[in-house]
Each structure stands twice: as structure tokens, then as C-alpha cells.
Amino acid sequence: MNDITQLLQEQNALLSALLAAHNKPTLGFSDRSPGSPQWVFIGRHGDSCWYTLDKSSQPVPIAHTALTGWVVDLKFDKVTRRGKDTYKLNLTMRTDTYVYILSTGHDTCFAKSLLTSLAVISPEQLQSPITLSVTPGEDESIVWCRIYAPEYIKAPQWEQNTDFRPIAQTAINNVRVASKQGYDLGLSN
């Protein structure tokens, strides 16, 4: 009888491990070969809220509405667009095999909702994969960001005159602390 009990316990452990592996989130949304980072731009193109650029710099809408992976960097970069200097908010996410750099204007609704969410999430939560979801706004130019870690992180509301510098600094610090502490790659039992 002890042999049967032991076999049943081993079978339950294997089934539990299979179920846990099956329920892990899929990371990324691309079937391309690993290599250099894939730039993803935030903006509405038809029904899509983000896109990449093809070899001739034409937008290629991304049909997926969510990206799951580890946040590894968050920064503002100064760029020149249409002859003028501007700042872009660039978020780097790593999946199992790919790296994506999500780029948006520094003062867009997407940037503000991303920054406020990353400012309230803990560095410990950022050590595990998060899911970043895009949602279209009522206006054709608006895209919202939602973060799930693993549950939805409700970003605080902001006013038109909210100073985003301290919010951005907190979000950047949270990402830096998480990066220094390392990531849960899901490799342990």
C-alpha cells in the first residue's frame, strides 16, 4: 500500500509541476529570430495601438494588445524629430529570447499612465515578468497603458498640471533597483 501511496504522490507532484508550467505567462509577442532590440512605437494605426517599422520605415501594426516580460530599463532620450529637439520615453523589456524598446512621446497619455504605474509598483514586483497592456482612448490619438504584476496595478489619477518629474524619477528608480537586484527567470522549482 505504501508503494501505491508513494506513486500517487509522485504523480500528483508531476501533475502540479505540469500545471504550473502551463499556467506561466507567455513572454513576448514575436516569432522573429533573436538579435538586436525590436523598436516598438506607441501610436494608433487602425485598430492597433503600437507598431514597428518595416525596412522602408512604414508602420507595421502589432495586432497583440499585451506584452509580457521583464522591465530592464526606463529612460528619457533626447531626439530630433521634424527639425526640433524633443524627448521620448523609452522602456526596455526583455522576454525569454527577445528585447523590445517601447518608445513614446514624453508627455503622452501612454507615458503618463506608464510612469504612474511604475511609480507605485515595487521593485520586488518588477523582478518578475509583468504584462503591459495597451488600450485605445476615445480620441484617435490616445493610447493608455495598463500594467499587470500579476494583478492590475491601478495607476493614480493625475491632473493637467501634475508635475511628472518626481513621478518619473520614482518610476526610473524602481526599475533601476529591480535591475540591480536581478530577475526571477522562473528557472527554480
Side-chain angles (χ1 to χ4, degrees), residues 10-130:
E10 289 175 13
Q11 182 181 17
N12 277 344
L14 286 172
L15 287 172
S16 294
L18 281 171
L19 185 59
H22 176 71
N23 289 335
K24 274 191 171 179
T26 302
L27 303 178
F29 53 69
S30 176
D31 294 326
R32 67 181 176 81
S33 301
S36 61
Q38 174 70 56
W39 282 85
V40 176
F41 302 95
I42 310 303
R44 302 274 296 272
H45 284 277
D47 292 336
S48 177
C49 291
W50 43 18
Y51 61 94
T52 59
L53 296 177
D54 66 14
K55 292 178 182 174
S56 43
S57 296
Q58 295 301 309
V60 178
I62 297 171
H64 302 277
T65 59
L67 172 62
T68 301
W70 294 272
V71 175
V72 296
D73 194 25
L74 178 67
K75 63 183 177 179
F76 290 93
D77 289 320
K78 187 176 184 179
V79 297
T80 303
R81 297 282 190 264
R82 297 180 188 104
K84 294 181 180 180
D85 287 340
T86 188
Y87 286 90
K88 294 290 183 179
L89 177 63
N90 293 326
L91 172 77
T92 304
M93 289 185 73
R94 183 175 55 80
T95 66
D96 291 325
T97 54
Y98 305 113
V99 174
Y100 299 94
I101 301 173
L102 282 66
S103 186
T104 188
H106 75 284
D107 63 349
T108 62
C109 289
F110 181 89
K112 292 174 181 178
S113 53
L114 173 67
L115 289 170
T116 55
S117 294
L118 290 175
V120 298
I121 195 170
S122 72
E124 290 74 25
Q125 288 173 293
L126 287 172
Q127 289 177 313
S128 295
I130 67 162

Side-chain angles (χ1 to χ4, degrees), residues 104-182:
T104 188
H106 75 284
D107 63 349
T108 62
C109 289
F110 181 89
K112 292 174 181 178
S113 53
L114 173 67
L115 289 170
T116 55
S117 294
L118 290 175
V120 298
I121 195 170
S122 72
E124 290 74 25
Q125 288 173 293
L126 287 172
Q127 289 177 313
S128 295
I130 67 162
T131 299
L132 189 147
S133 173
V134 290
T135 306
E138 290 180 21
D139 183 312
E140 193 64 26
S141 66
I142 299 205
V143 176
W144 297 102
C145 171
R146 290 189 176 178
I147 291 181
Y148 298 83
E151 302 299 320
Y152 173 56
I153 303 296
K154 183 154 177 62
Q157 296 294 317
W158 67 85
E159 301 296 324
Q160 185 70 18
N161 60 350
T162 299
D163 182 3
F164 273 88
R165 288 176 290 198
I167 296 169
Q169 192 58 57
T170 300
I172 290 168
N173 287 340
N174 286 345
V175 171
R176 285 183 182 158
V177 168
S179 295
K180 287 180 183 172
Q181 291 176 348

